[in-house]
Amino acid sequence: MAVTIKSEREIELMREAGRILCKTHQELKKIIKPGISTMEIDRIGEEIIRSYDATPSFKNYEGYPASICVSVNDEVVHGIPHPKHILREGDIVSLDAGVLYKGYHSDSARTHAVGEISDELRNLMAVTKQSFFEGIRYAKAGYHIKDIGKAVQKYVEANGCSVVRDLVGHGIGSHLHEAPEVPNFSTLKRGIKLLPGMTIAVEPMVNLGTSDVWWMEDDWTVVTADGKASAHYENTILITEGEPELLSLPEDMMEEE
Ligand code: MF3
Ligand code: CO
């Protein structure tokens, strides 16, 4: 599938999907406490999304059984919610969610602390989030896809962490996953040139130890090969001539972040 340029009407719908998704993350952040199950987080997340007449993009996507991907500690992404998986003090938990609104998707991820966490984990979360912002300095018309990943990788490695190579960001619009692929690391190819109206999801997955990951028996849950922690931060963004517009983090909703 070719990379598409979105019309003003499509962008407006993606803004609305992004607002709903941002609100969903802000509500979910409030319920992250020791004792809650990952299944309960999924149930509440789905309820919030549906309350806005939207649909969870992930539900049944290629057979994924839930609405929110809930990934704890060494789980990198695509953790499957389970009633017996209870969050404990000191854990970190990544919530990845998608919203489909009037035919258009938004996709974003946040990583939260469960109660008090170690300085090492707090630093991992901060590095992961900042690496997204370092990357999108190059998410502007005229730069290439590679410029984003190169900046993410440079920042992550300068801070003693590693970037996952086996999963990448992506174009997004009327499909959850569209061209182009958006790696969070430097690649041989420079990738397509960015143009105004392109919409992409930039989503660094950052590990404390090795960048190597494994897939669990459920064929979904991705875990670090060394069992050390991993964090995830993602937004759906719109490419413009200037600064990118964060569709899943609208400016007037930023202070709650
Ligand atoms: N944000 C993730 C991604 O872009 C989640 C989608 S996986 C799903 O790959 F199957 F759960 F939907
Ligand atoms: Co994504």
Side-chain angles (χ1 to χ4, degrees):
M1 197 172 63
V3 180
T4 57
I5 305 291
K6 271 68 179 182
S7 68
E8 195 46 49
R9 175 190 154 269
E10 293 179 294
I11 292 167
E12 205 41 66
L13 293 173
M14 291 185 71
R15 282 194 183 106
E16 200 47 43
R19 297 191 82 81
I20 296 168
L21 181 54
C22 186
K23 185 72 189 155
T24 302
H25 274 299
Q26 290 178 344
E27 294 300 319
L28 287 178
K29 183 178 183 178
K30 298 178 190 161
I31 64 161
I32 299 301
K33 293 191 177 77
I36 193 169
S37 75
T38 59
M39 182 74 137
E40 185 68 357
I41 296 166
D42 176 63
R43 188 188 66 74
I44 294 170
E46 177 166 358
E47 201 172 278
I48 298 167
I49 293 169
R50 293 197 191 279
S51 77
Y52 289 98
D53 288 322
T55 312
S57 307
F58 299 174
K59 191 106 189 216
N60 302 318
Y61 180 85
E62 289 182 11
Y64 185 74
S67 297
I68 317 285
C69 296
V70 187
S71 308
V72 183
N73 297 336
D74 64 319
E75 295 173 350
V76 179
V77 286
H78 304 168
I80 298 178
H82 193 280
K84 293 207 168 126
H85 197 165
I86 309 290
L87 298 185
R88 293 181 307 187
E89 178 97 20
D91 287 344
I92 59 169
V93 60
S94 303
L95 306 182
D96 189 352
V99 159
L100 173 63
Y101 182 73
K102 295 190 178 166
Y104 286 84
H105 294 271
S106 196
D107 180 7
S108 71
R110 303 285 182 263
T111 300
H112 301 297
V114 183
E116 283 300 312
I117 61 169
S118 68
D119 290 346
E120 191 181 41
L121 291 179
R122 192 158 292 287
N123 185 56
L124 172 68
M125 287 173 50
V127 169
T128 306
K129 182 172 180 179
Q130 187 56 33
S131 74
F132 166 86
F133 288 97
E134 296 296 326
I136 65 161
R137 290 169 58 195
Y138 301 90
K140 272 184 201 170
Y143 286 104
H144 291 259
I145 287 289
K146 175 182 180 168
D147 299 318
I148 300 174
K150 194 175 161 189
V152 169
Q153 180 181 5
K154 189 173 163 210
Y155 181 80
V156 167
E157 292 178 354
N159 284 279
C161 298
S162 73
V163 155
V164 173
R165 314 300 172 96
D166 290 5
L167 299 123
V168 294
H170 49 92
I172 179 168
S174 57
H175 299 270
L176 176 62
H177 293 141
E178 299 183 356
E181 289 196 346
V182 185
N184 302 297
F185 46 89
S186 193
T187 50
L188 227 44
K189 290 186 184 165
R190 65 183 183 168
I192 60 153
K193 191 191 245 188
L194 296 167
L195 296 173
M198 289 180 177
T199 46
I200 59 175
V202 179
E203 51 176 317
M205 289 147 267
V206 177
N207 296 352
L208 266 185
T210 176
S211 61
D212 291 351
V213 298
W214 289 335
W215 267 255
M216 305 255 288
E217 287 298 308
D218 62 20
D219 274 342
W220 277 108
T221 315
V222 179
V223 295
T224 60
D226 59 8
K228 293 189 182 173
S230 183
H232 188 198
Y233 187 86
E234 171 181 27
N235 280 306
T236 296
I237 69 173
L238 169 68
I239 304 299
T240 74
E241 293 286 357
E243 297 303 311
E245 182 179 334
L246 308 187
L247 299 174
S248 56
L249 184 53
E251 234 164 80
D252 61 312
M253 295 179 76
M254 260 188 201
E255 52 197 85
E256 264 200 58
E257 290 285 308

